[in-house]
Amino acid sequence: MSGYALTGTGALYRLALRRDRIALPVWVYVGTGMIASTAFSFRKLYGDEASRRTFAAGIDGNGSLRALYGPIFDGSTIGGLTAWRMGVFGAVLAALMSTLLVVRHTRAEEEDGRFELIGAGAVGRRAPLTAALATALTANAALAALVTVVLLAAGQALAGALAFGLALGATGVFFAALAAVTAQVAETGRAANGLAGAAIGLAFVLRAVGDSGSGAGWASWLSPIGWSEQVRPFAGDRWWVLALPLGGAALLTALARALVEHRDLGAGMLPQRPGPAAAAPGLADAAALARRLQRGALLGWALAFAAGGAVFGSVAKGVVDLVGDNRQMADLMARLGGQQGVLNAYLSTIAGVFGMIAAVYAVQSVLRLRAEESSGRAEPVLAGAVSRLRWAGGHLLFPLLGTAVLLAVAGATAGLAQGAALGGGTGDAVGRMLGGTLVQLPAVWLTAAVALAVYGLLPRWTAAGWAGYGMFVLVAWLGPILQLPQWVLDLSPFTHLPHLPGGAFTAAPLLWTTALAALAALAGLAGLRRRDLG
């Protein structure tokens, strides 16, 4: 291979950092903030070693919680409990961040045609891939460093804090390299993200099977997410395990670099099925085209929400058993109304998490408008007898109604799994969980409407829609733990939602949140109608 294959890598790397100057810090700060809030919560709830050991003993014998969070290798320290609680989900967050970063700067750029312009200059064939991987490496290094600093600030040991940070960063690097391979295999960015996302899901399932105590502990060693927890931060710090994700990343990177040389620009390694000679009658208008473009993403998200609802619903029995076995926790949670109150608190928290995740899909669906516009695909559609509002309306049905579908799927599967795990009335469990998830809709819609307003009024700052989402989630998730002022908590629409099931239902916050969403959406559509495209 010519020595010019990496020409232009530095310039593309700086360009990627500039383009992700908003999204990348949001990813890193969300992950760091969740870990910091978890450490703070454990220090507040379990201030002495005896209480921490009692809590850990109850967790370790609970198979459902082990499958969800993994085993506790060290329950005597705040760091050990934080590594248990956030190790798996921190690794998943790092994997998702890395996947989206790499695909965005490789296959998505190629799909939009920008690589043709870049490749016409003094840019080597491997430069875009190398720059994308360097960007992901930078993001994971920043995550590892900030996690280490946060745990040190919480008074934890340097070795354990560093091991935890590196475990998360190494997992992100592995999945960045995996995404580099899927970006060569698939022909579209959505397909590349789908393949990498399926790999993340498989890794989570293998780890859950291995950690559940079912006698298949070897399964967790087949999972890159399982490798992350096997580093065992604060419980021996097994540094050699880091060689598994890093070595795997090196092999996958070499494979991706080889695949780049054996395919045409714009093509993938997987053969594409030719479409029909004539379009179906259902594709006769702009709304139908939007449905065709967005239905695959909605289906994938729906499957993920169904699986997540089933997993979190089945853990409900483990939550009840944990409270029953742990006297200190039972006394602490008695103020919530006893065992049923603890179960309601858990289920309402899970419903809130589903709402925040659904907002990710909502913002993603809204920003599909910007992708269609910037790629030039919107111009042929709007050149016909199609107004801008009609074109946008077809796409906006998905953040409006698609999020309702996702939350309904999550509520139904969580209720079914909860009813099966606890016994009793499955129908009542489904109804309660549906109420808990669907009540999140106004906050989800407002988050999407903010992204739409930014896109319509300030198209060059469309990525700031993700910043709005990040602010809403961080305030709602970390604000109560950090005891922020009430006016700060009120900035997030998720703060004002009723806590269902179990809490009192009030319609007023739902109505005014929906009204704000409508106003923001109208402002965005008005801006789109008046400004120039492109």
Side-chain angles (χ1 to χ4, degrees), residues 462-484:
T462 299
W466 287 114
Y469 165 80
M471 186 198 72
F472 290 162
V473 170
L474 285 177
V475 169
W477 189 268
L478 303 181
I481 296 174
L482 299 178
Q483 299 180 346
L484 296 178

Side-chain angles (χ1 to χ4, degrees), residues 37 74 110 133 173 189 286 344 349 388 407 442 465 513:
S37 66
D74 175 32
E110 199 169 329
L133 289 172
V173 170
N344 287 336
T349 300
R388 295 187 185 186
L407 291 172
T513 304

Side-chain angles (χ1 to χ4, degrees), residues 46-439:
Y46 306 101
D48 59 279
E49 182 176 340
S51 63
R52 292 193 290 267
R53 289 187 180 277
T54 302
F55 172 77
I59 291 290
D60 207 42
N62 195 307
S64 59
L65 291 181
R66 284 169 58 96
L68 183 61
Y69 298 114
I72 297 182
F73 295 111
D74 175 32
S76 64
T77 64
I78 298 296
L81 292 179
T82 303
W84 160 75
R85 181 61 178 81
M86 289 304 302
V88 171
F89 290 100
V92 171
L93 181 70
L96 290 173
M97 173 187 71
S98 303
T99 294
L100 295 175
L101 280 175
V102 171
V103 173
R104 168 179 166 82
H105 294 295
T106 53
R107 173 54 66 180
E109 291 287 274
E110 199 169 329
E111 182 182 3
D112 289 340
R114 284 190 283 266
F115 269 6
E116 294 184 14
L117 298 176
I118 294 173
V123 175
R125 184 67 182 270
R126 294 178 180 175
L129 175 64
T130 306
L133 289 172
T135 304
L137 179 62
T138 301
N140 284 287
L143 177 63
L146 287 177
V147 167
T148 302
V149 170
V150 161
L151 291 176
L152 287 177
Q156 303 308 298
L158 172 61
L162 184 60
F164 187 39
L166 290 178
L168 298 183
T171 304
V173 170
F174 176 88
F175 281 101
L178 179 64
V181 174
T182 63
Q184 312 310 314
V185 171
E187 191 168 345
T188 65
R190 292 194 304 276
N193 281 324
L195 290 174
I200 296 173
L202 178 61
F204 183 90
V205 170
L206 287 173
R207 182 217 54 83
V209 171
D211 291 340
S212 64
S214 59
W218 51 269
S220 63
W221 285 98
L222 301 178
S223 166
I225 298 176
W227 299 340
S228 175
E229 68 181 16
Q230 289 300 330
V231 174
R232 299 192 179 184
F234 304 98
D237 304 326
R238 303 200 300 192
W239 303 99
W240 64 268
V241 179
L242 293 173
L244 296 177
L246 295 178
L251 293 175
L252 290 171
T253 299
L255 176 59
R257 288 162 63 92
L259 292 177
V260 167
E261 309 299 333
H262 290 85
R263 66 175 182 85
D264 295 331
L265 185 67
M269 303 302 293
L270 292 178
Q272 291 295 309
R273 183 179 62 182
L283 292 176
D285 55 30
L289 176 60
R291 290 195 299 271
R292 177 66 178 83
L293 293 173
Q294 300 243 29
R295 68 183 185 185
L298 177 60
L299 177 60
W301 278 88
L303 293 175
F305 267 63
V311 170
F312 285 111
S314 63
V315 174
K317 186 177 188 303
V319 173
V320 173
D321 292 343
L322 176 63
V323 175
D325 295 339
N326 191 322
R327 180 180 299 275
Q328 182 178 9
M329 177 171 282
D331 294 339
L332 182 65
M333 296 297 184
R335 291 170 294 178
L336 295 176
Q339 193 176 73
Q340 185 62 37
V342 173
L343 179 61
N344 287 336
Y346 166 76
L347 294 176
S348 65
T349 300
I350 295 305
V353 170
F354 278 124
M356 295 177 187
I357 298 175
V360 175
Y361 167 79
V363 174
Q364 184 185 70
S365 299
V366 168
L367 297 190
R368 182 61 188 263
L369 289 167
R370 179 59 177 171
E372 293 293 301
E373 178 183 347
S374 60
S375 66
R377 291 189 293 267
E379 292 182 11
V381 176
L382 296 174
V386 177
S387 68
R388 295 187 185 186
L389 296 183
R390 185 180 172 190
W391 167 72
H395 286 276
L396 295 179
L397 286 176
F398 286 83
L400 180 66
L401 301 180
T403 51
V405 171
L406 296 181
L407 291 172
V409 167
T413 54
L416 289 172
Q418 176 203 340
L422 296 177
T426 301
D428 179 64
V430 171
R432 283 158 44 83
M433 277 307 300
L434 280 174
T437 54
L438 292 178
V439 81

Side-chain angles (χ1 to χ4, degrees), residues 1-23:
M1 185 67 191
S2 171
Y4 296 103
L6 298 179
T7 300
T9 299
L12 292 179
Y13 170 67
R14 292 189 295 272
L15 176 62
L17 290 179
R18 176 175 175 77
R19 293 185 61 200
D20 285 333
R21 63 188 181 275
I22 295 176

